[in-house]
Amino acid sequence: MHGTRTRRAVVSASCAAVAFIALAACGTSSSGGSTASGSGGGLPSSIPVTLIADKTGPQAFYGTQLEAGVQTALKAVQSQKLLGSSKIALTVQDTTSQQSQAITVMSQVIQTRPAAILGPSLSNEALATAPTAQSAKIPYLLDTSPQGLLDTGDYIWSMTTQHASQMPALAKHLAGSVKNAVIIYSNDNPTIVDANKAATTAFPQAGVQLLDDIGTPLQSTDFSAVATKAASQHPQAIGVLGGGPMMSSVPKALRAAGYTGPLFGNMGADGTLTSAGAAANGFVYPAEWAPGTPGAMSQDFAKEFAADHPGLTPYYPAVDGYNEVMFLAQSLKSAGSTNGAALLSAMQATAKKGFTTLGGKSTFSGSGGRQLVDPSIIAQYQDGKVTAVKE
Amino acid sequence: MIAQLINALVLGGILLLFSLGLSLAWGTLDVLNLAHGALFVLGGYIGFQLGKSTSLPFPVIVLAAMVGSGLVAVLLEVVAFGRIRAKTTNKRQAELAVLVASLGGSIVVGQLVSNWTNNEIFSPSDHVFTSHQHQFGPVRFGDIDVIITVAAIVVAVATQLWVSRSRHGRAVRALAYSPGTASLMGINVRMLAVATMFITGVMAGLAGVLLSFKIAGMNVDTGDIYLQSAFAIIVVGGVGSIKGAAIASYTIAIAETAIIAYGPSGYSTGVAFALIFLFLLFRPQGLFARRLTERV
């Protein structure tokens, strides 16, 4: 009797396990959104999209900006009726600025089968989560562009301009007034190392001699020695390629070391110069957008963002978030479906046609044509404000 | 070269101010306080916030930052470290438990500062204190550089004198040697531990607020960077040795600055730590290690 009871329990448990596995297999067998029409028969009324962002933790600046840009874009999509009566239903997940949490969140997100996933700003999180999105065949639009990201697969898109690709525009802008320069760059960040490599080619080509490029760890706090080394070479301009606190600490250290000339940098300066105060006045850098960028779309964005997020200044992660949603919305409209393959096809077509971002007419290049290349605007920081430089 | 020497002197001053507090806690109370970095950042944050929302003068802001960090250190001692030491009879277990508790303290304080600053970079504005630059031939330095250097020397000398010559300093040394015996000798171990932790917090706050006036970008991670260097300084100098901490601080500062100025600047931290590693191969106990006697 005991043996029969045990056998019954084992059989029941086995049946339950088989049923569970079958259900799970059915759940992941199709690609694309959970409310997908499947056969391309029109967009559903609610299109689920998930944003994975660094909302808390040391990188919360980027996550806060990214979400703000996304929310403003969603309102614009709605008010312009870009998707007809359909609406994007956004879910936001927090990585807490940790790679391990990003991986956990991504594993949970793919179970809900969103139509698309908007990704985080950190390179290490992007690289860690991209393979999961690729194997789930869900389009993943990311706010970062580390080397190797796009090689993960065709569902992975980088919606932020690579810093390295902006160096020629920066060099061209400086060539008019500067004959030589020194660059200080963070040598432990792959994105910045690439930007520096691009600068060492672009600057001489534009007629600006590079006297030196001085590496420094990104997390350094005291840049006095680096600043003294740079200033002692008496360059006509000094560049700072990096991100985070470094972007305000280095200008301050340079001025303390006696350097009074012009400063330039990379897009990492966007939103990080305020602490430097007057030390950073005149700092120029390539950006995807800045107040004063011409165009109706740019002006509308500035107004809408200010209305939606009073007191928050939009920097490049917010611009990227806005561009991501507009690109996704156009692709959804074109696909007429949230089916992953159909949406991917539409994204590829939209990218090939050319897509207008806040900065102007953009193109896509790189692996599979999935790397956004924005026209570079030169932005200038002055007295706490950033404006687009009229070229 | 003179400019770089001045840079090394100032960097050494910050490292010394930071590591003095950590060394004092570790050497006297066996508290390896991983929250020390968070207290350092808290000092910087208090300076930033008071500068933004009040018109208090610079010296008052510095004092407030020191006291603020000191009080939080006391809170950690009262709520966690002291209780753990009182309830655990095994010394090793107590050290480990205190270490874990200090990590928790570091996370809590760090999270609070993160929330208050929205994880953005912060630094006090120039209207609170403007560091004017002075140039005498090849020698160039700012007001804040002088303040940091003088503060570091004064605090180090004062701490050394306090520990070696004062009645309370003797009590602290007795506490470091044997808390049980110190208690039997009539020393209020509890109050002394609280006072010592207050002093370590004050030192962390002073280092943090002065650094925040020198650099333009502080955030929650800044303390962790100095914590790494401080461990190296304490180990090289000898745990609990103020003289050792001073020598190690300035040596590391000079090594890092020299590598930046004349070598592969991007690897300055790595090379400095490689030198420390080599040093420890020959003298693992540090320069001025405390002599330990074990009765068998």
Side-chain angles (χ1 to χ4, degrees), chain B residues 148-234:
Chain B
I148 288 169
T149 307
V150 169
I153 293 168
V154 165
V155 169
V157 169
T159 308
Q160 177 65 31
L161 287 174
W162 176 69
V163 168
S164 60
R165 305 267 176 96
S166 73
R167 195 159 62 95
H168 287 117
R170 278 199 293 277
V172 164
R173 280 185 286 138
L175 176 64
Y177 188 73
S178 173
T181 309
S183 175
L184 289 171
M185 298 289 283
I187 293 168
N188 188 331
V189 167
R190 191 94 186 90
M191 281 310 297
L192 193 59
V194 166
T196 306
M197 283 306 294
F198 176 74
I199 290 167
T200 68
V202 159
M203 288 178 185
L206 175 63
V209 73
L210 289 182
L211 184 73
S212 73
F213 279 99
K214 178 168 170 63
I215 67 175
M218 212 174 188
N219 69 2
V220 170
D221 292 333
T222 308
D224 292 339
I225 298 152
Y226 281 90
L227 206 56
Q228 287 170 29
S229 300
F231 283 136
I233 287 164
I234 291 166

Side-chain angles (χ1 to χ4, degrees), chain B residues 247-272:
Chain B
I247 293 172
S249 296
Y250 286 103
T251 305
I252 287 171
I254 290 168
E256 280 192 18
T257 305
I259 292 160
I260 290 170
Y262 306 111
S265 55
Y267 304 98
S268 56
T269 314
V271 175

Side-chain angles (χ1 to χ4, degrees), chain A residues 57 215 219 221 228-229 256 275, chain B residues 7 119 133 140 216 225-226 260 265:
Chain A
Q219 296 302 323
T221 52
T228 301
K229 185 176 183 178
S275 289
Chain B
N7 290 333
N119 284 293
Q133 296 296 316
R140 185 184 172 89
I225 298 152
Y226 281 90
I260 290 170
S265 55

Side-chain angles (χ1 to χ4, degrees), chain A residues 8-20:
Chain A
R8 246 189 247 144
V10 168
V11 168
S12 307
S14 306
C15 289
V18 167
F20 179 76

Side-chain angles (χ1 to χ4, degrees), chain A residues 97-316:
Chain A
S97 304
Q98 292 178 78
Q99 183 180 318
S100 55
Q101 182 63 12
I103 293 168
T104 303
V105 160
M106 176 58 94
S107 312
Q108 292 164 355
V109 165
I110 59 164
Q111 302 300 322
T112 65
R113 307 301 308 167
I117 304 170
L118 308 178
S121 310
L122 298 186
S123 308
N124 61 338
E125 291 173 6
L127 289 167
T129 53
T132 308
Q134 175 65 30
S135 56
K137 295 194 178 356
I138 299 175
Y140 192 21
L141 287 75
L142 288 134
D143 184 34
T144 179
S145 56
Q147 286 283 0
L149 176 70
L150 301 181
D151 297 335
T152 311
D154 51 358
Y155 281 84
I156 312 304
W157 292 65
S158 170
M159 300 300 292
T160 190
T161 307
Q162 288 182 313
H163 295 221
S165 68
Q166 295 173 321
M167 289 299 114
L170 179 64
K172 190 176 160 199
H173 172 80
L174 290 168
S177 53
V178 155
K179 289 279 174 278
N180 58 56
V182 166
I183 287 178
I184 298 168
Y185 74 104
S186 57
N187 66 327
D188 55 356
N189 179 293
T191 302
I192 304 305
V193 169
D194 288 342
N196 182 57
K197 263 197 213 127
T200 54
T201 308
F203 276 56
Q205 277 177 0
V208 180
Q209 185 194 2
L210 275 183
L211 301 176
D212 197 359
D213 58 344
I214 304 167
T216 181
L218 185 66
Q219 296 302 323
S220 288
T221 52
D222 188 350
F223 295 95
S224 306
V226 166
T228 301
K229 185 176 183 178
S232 66
Q233 298 181 61
H234 307 291
Q236 290 183 355
I238 296 181
V240 186
L241 306 184
M246 170 185 175
M247 300 310 287
S248 48
S249 292
V250 173
K252 192 164 179 178
L254 284 168
R255 301 306 185 200
Y259 176 73
T260 55
L263 295 169
F264 63 90
N266 63 314
M267 203 159 61
D270 208 28
T272 53
L273 292 175
T274 316
S275 289
N281 276 349
F283 195 115
V284 294
Y285 58 93
E288 292 172 322
W289 179 86
T293 301
M297 192 175 168
S298 161
Q299 285 160 20
D300 288 344
F301 167 73
K303 261 191 241 140
E304 286 158 10
F305 193 93
D308 294 339
H309 312 284
L312 189 65
T313 306
Y315 294 110
Y316 80 86

Side-chain angles (χ1 to χ4, degrees), chain B:
Chain B
M1 184 166 114
I2 293 172
Q4 295 291 20
L5 266 172
I6 292 171
N7 290 333
L9 198 63
V10 177
L11 177 61
I14 288 286
L15 289 174
L16 178 58
L17 279 172
F18 186 98
S19 36
L20 266 179
L22 197 62
S23 181
L24 196 60
W26 197 0
T28 56
L29 303 173
D30 285 327
V31 169
L32 182 49
N33 188 8
L34 294 180
H36 199 72
L39 297 175
F40 169 83
V41 172
L42 180 67
Y45 173 74
I46 293 171
F48 156 73
Q49 194 57 44
L50 287 177
K52 199 170 87 152
S53 49
T54 70
S55 52
L56 290 170
F58 171 70
V60 175
I61 287 176
V62 170
L63 200 62
M66 289 162 66
V67 170
S69 294
L71 290 175
V72 173
V74 165
L75 187 65
L76 289 171
E77 167 63 24
V78 166
V79 166
F81 307 155
R83 284 184 185 209
I84 290 169
R85 285 197 308 274
K87 290 189 174 179
T88 317
T89 49
N90 185 296
K91 194 171 178 243
R92 286 250 185 273
Q93 269 180 9
E95 279 176 8
L96 196 57
V98 163
L99 185 72
V100 172
S102 72
L103 181 60
S106 168
I107 292 168
V108 168
V109 174
Q111 196 61 56
L112 284 171
V113 175
S114 271
N115 288 346
W116 293 333
T117 59
N118 279 329
N119 284 293
E120 290 186 18
I121 302 157
F122 61 89
S123 76
S125 62
D126 288 339
H127 83 263
V128 176
F129 175 79
T130 305
S131 177
H132 298 288
Q133 296 296 316
H134 309 280
Q135 184 114 27
F136 301 99
V139 178
R140 185 184 172 89
F141 56 89
D143 296 331
I144 192 66
D145 298 328
V146 174
I147 292 170
I148 288 169
T149 307
V150 169
I153 293 168
V154 165
V155 169
V157 169
T159 308
Q160 177 65 31
L161 287 174
W162 176 69
V163 168
S164 60
R165 305 267 176 96
S166 73
R167 195 159 62 95
H168 287 117
R170 278 199 293 277
V172 164
R173 280 185 286 138
L175 176 64
Y177 188 73
S178 173
T181 309
S183 175
L184 289 171
M185 298 289 283
I187 293 168
N188 188 331
V189 167
R190 191 94 186 90
M191 281 310 297
L192 193 59
V194 166
T196 306
M197 283 306 294
F198 176 74
I199 290 167
T200 68
V202 159
M203 288 178 185
L206 175 63
V209 73
L210 289 182
L211 184 73
S212 73
F213 279 99
K214 178 168 170 63
I215 67 175
M218 212 174 188
N219 69 2
V220 170
D221 292 333
T222 308
D224 292 339
I225 298 152
Y226 281 90
L227 206 56
Q228 287 170 29
S229 300
F231 283 136
I233 287 164
I234 291 166
V235 168
V236 169
V239 177
S241 167
I242 292 157
K243 220 178 351 180
I247 293 172
S249 296
Y250 286 103
T251 305
I252 287 171
I254 290 168
E256 280 192 18
T257 305
I259 292 160
I260 290 170
Y262 306 111
S265 55
Y267 304 98
S268 56
T269 314
V271 175
F273 275 78
L275 291 173
I276 290 161
F277 175 69
L278 279 171
F279 172 85
L280 290 174
L281 282 178
F282 296 102
R283 198 172 164 85
Q285 70 272 34
L287 283 168
F288 302 99
R290 189 178 62 192
R291 197 166 289 178
L292 288 172
T293 311
E294 272 191 51
R295 292 183 187 280
V296 294

